[in-house]
Amino acid sequence: MAKILVTGGAGYIGSHIVNLLGSSDHDIIIYDNLSTGREKSVLAGELVIGDLEDHAKLDALMKEHNFSACFHFAGSIIVPESVTDPLKYYNNNTQNTLDLINLCVKNKINKFIFSSTAAVYGMAPGGVCSEEMQVQPINPYGRTKLMTEWMLEDVAHAHDDFNFVILRYFNVAGANIEGKVGQCSPLSTHLIKIACETALGKRDKMFVFGDDYETKDGTCIRDYIHVDDLAQAHIDALTYLLKGGESTLCNCGYGHGFTVKEVLEVVKKVSGVDFKIEMGPRRAGDAPVLMSKAEKIGKVLGWTPKHDDLELIVRTAFEWEKNLKD
Ligand SMILES: NC(=O)c1ccc[n+]([C@@H]2O[C@H](COP(=O)([O-])OP(=O)(O)OC[C@H]3O[C@@H](n4cnc5c(N)ncnc54)[C@H](O)[C@@H]3O)[C@@H](O)[C@H]2O)c1
């Protein structure tokens, strides 16, 4: 049994990991300022409400509990907002993470699991991203995440006993398979959530940004991963580190993708609603194709996805959205 700190565990992805950790024998403390997360989503462990900027509180928490590992989900995640307000992102994603890592090192929490993103790849040539390829993020959000990756690599290099797993998520979607928890973020930019909201009449219509890409139907292709599979990847990463695994970096995706139009067809089929879609111009910075090379995570962490099924992903997202009250 280990004691685990989970920053941002009241948010969309963190709450799914907390839910899974709840059925392990680990002891969990969730640290979250509830800026986009919500108390009701924390289904296991103890929630401590606090901000990453409150170093004294975080330090005291680390001193009180003898944490073996830290999952770090807390951060700001809206790409267009990172373009208009980059300093918010450098502050919350880079500065606050630097301070968190610093506190972890001081308090001898030497296993760190970090939520990175496919956005670090930018415009990957050919659209298939392998962990070895050169990274070139094209927006502040991706850059803030890449800076954290670099910090972790340098800290692990300087401190022999500090090890990390960096997980680069592709398009995370869906809700817990048992319907216990799901995505609540009100300002989400995630395609499947927006489409479900539109199908349910929470929005009048939705936009597709560009249908003139060189793909089979002109819309962008993305690699959608079910959030419970992503959660399991984190449990596998924790097990790997607790067994003495060395620092590593893995993509989290299924290695294949769907166009925006294909996804919307599935949402229409699952919901039974022919909701209104407007075609708009391309959005600056959208790569035509972004898919993971997905082999490494299985080999290194032993991860085996169970929910690689777009219709299942959409169904869980739709059912969650339908029942979401606040
Ligand atoms: N959702 C995705 O598709 C996706 C893709 C790639 C990477 N990620 C990364 O995964 C992580 C989790 O994303 P999510 O989709 O669950 O987002 P989310 O907004 O639902 O969750 C973030 C959580 O962090 C908390 N938080 C934010 N700033 C904080 C601070 N300063 N102090 C304390 N708590 C703070 C929020 O209240 C929230 O509970 C983020 O780091 C994000 O960059 C997400």
Side-chain angles (χ1 to χ4, degrees):
M1 189 188 101
K3 226 171 197 190
I4 315 290
L5 173 64
V6 185
T7 76
Y12 170 42
I13 297 171
S15 61
H16 286 78
I17 282 82
V18 167
N19 175 46
L20 262 193
L21 280 171
S23 50
S24 73
D25 60 356
H26 299 310
D27 218 351
I28 331 157
I29 306 280
I30 297 100
Y31 188 81
D32 198 301
N33 66 3
L34 302 183
S35 55
T36 56
R38 54 171 215 167
E39 202 163 348
K40 272 205 278 188
S41 297
V42 179
L43 301 183
E46 180 194 336
L47 172 64
V48 175
I49 299 173
D51 197 288
L52 289 175
E53 282 187 355
D54 191 342
H55 303 157
K57 188 167 191 165
L58 208 41
D59 194 29
L61 191 71
M62 289 180 179
K63 289 196 161 53
E64 183 188 340
H65 301 276
N66 193 13
F67 293 115
S68 304
C70 174
F71 284 100
H72 180 38
F73 299 101
S76 301
I77 72 154
I78 300 173
V79 174
E81 186 188 46
S82 80
V83 175
T84 53
D85 192 359
L87 292 177
K88 172 176 173 182
Y89 281 70
Y90 284 102
N91 184 52
N92 203 23
N93 292 356
T94 309
Q95 179 66 55
N96 285 345
T97 304
L98 186 159
D99 295 337
L100 174 71
I101 297 170
N102 197 12
L103 286 171
C104 284
V105 170
K106 280 189 184 150
N107 287 289
K108 306 215 175 325
I109 304 170
N110 53 21
K111 294 172 178 52
F112 198 95
I113 298 160
F114 174 59
S115 309
S116 191
T117 167
V120 299
Y121 291 110
M123 297 282 179
V128 180
C129 309
S130 78
E131 290 89 346
E132 296 75 36
M133 76 194 297
Q134 221 187 346
V135 284
Q136 209 160 17
I138 50 170
N139 51 57
Y141 170 71
R143 291 196 184 107
T144 64
K145 290 286 178 175
L146 183 57
M147 287 169 84
T148 298
E149 291 193 5
W150 288 339
M151 288 193 289
L152 287 169
E153 281 163 14
D154 290 340
V155 170
H157 186 70
H159 298 267
D160 280 345
D161 57 348
F162 185 95
N163 285 290
F164 63 79
V165 174
I166 292 169
L167 296 174
R168 288 182 178 159
Y169 311 164
F170 282 68
N171 286 55
V172 188
N176 171 247
I177 219 83
E178 293 163 34
K180 289 186 192 165
V181 68
Q183 190 170 15
C184 304
S185 7
L187 297 174
S188 173
T189 52
H190 294 70
L191 174 68
I192 292 177
K193 177 161 173 65
I194 289 174
C196 290
E197 288 171 355
T198 315
L200 287 162
K202 298 183 184 183
R203 295 171 185 252
D204 307 338
K205 60 182 175 190
M206 62 172 292
F207 293 94
V208 170
F209 300 105
D211 60 355
D212 57 350
Y213 288 97
E214 281 184 25
T215 59
K216 56 183 163 185
D217 62 22
T219 60
C220 291
I221 296 178
R222 294 291 181 269
D223 183 343
Y224 296 90
I225 172 172
H226 191 279
V227 64
D228 274 348
D229 273 342
L230 182 74
Q232 184 58 48
H234 288 75
I235 306 297
D236 295 342
L238 176 67
T239 307
Y240 168 84
L241 286 176
L242 290 175
K243 281 187 181 157
E246 298 200 334
S247 294
T248 192
L249 178 162
C250 298
N251 282 339
C252 271
Y254 292 143
H256 58 84
F258 295 93
T259 68
V260 172
K261 280 186 182 167
E262 285 171 334
V263 171
L264 294 178
E265 278 313 308
V266 175
V267 179
K268 285 186 175 183
K269 180 179 162 201
V270 166
S271 65
V273 182
D274 186 16
F275 53 89
K276 191 171 172 194
I277 298 165
E278 274 186 19
M279 290 298 160
R282 290 183 182 197
R283 201 167 45 176
D286 274 344
V289 182
L290 216 45
M291 294 187 300
S292 65
K293 202 161 178 311
E295 290 78 18
K296 184 176 173 187
I297 186 167
K299 283 190 193 133
V300 178
L301 303 184
W303 179 68
T304 313
K306 288 195 195 130
H307 310 302
D308 179 2
D309 173 347
L310 182 62
E311 196 165 316
L312 175 81
I313 293 175
V314 168
R315 202 167 347 105
T316 56
F318 183 74
E319 287 304 318
W320 173 260
E321 195 62 51
K322 197 166 73 180
N323 296 321
L324 185 62
K325 303 274 183 298
D326 50 58

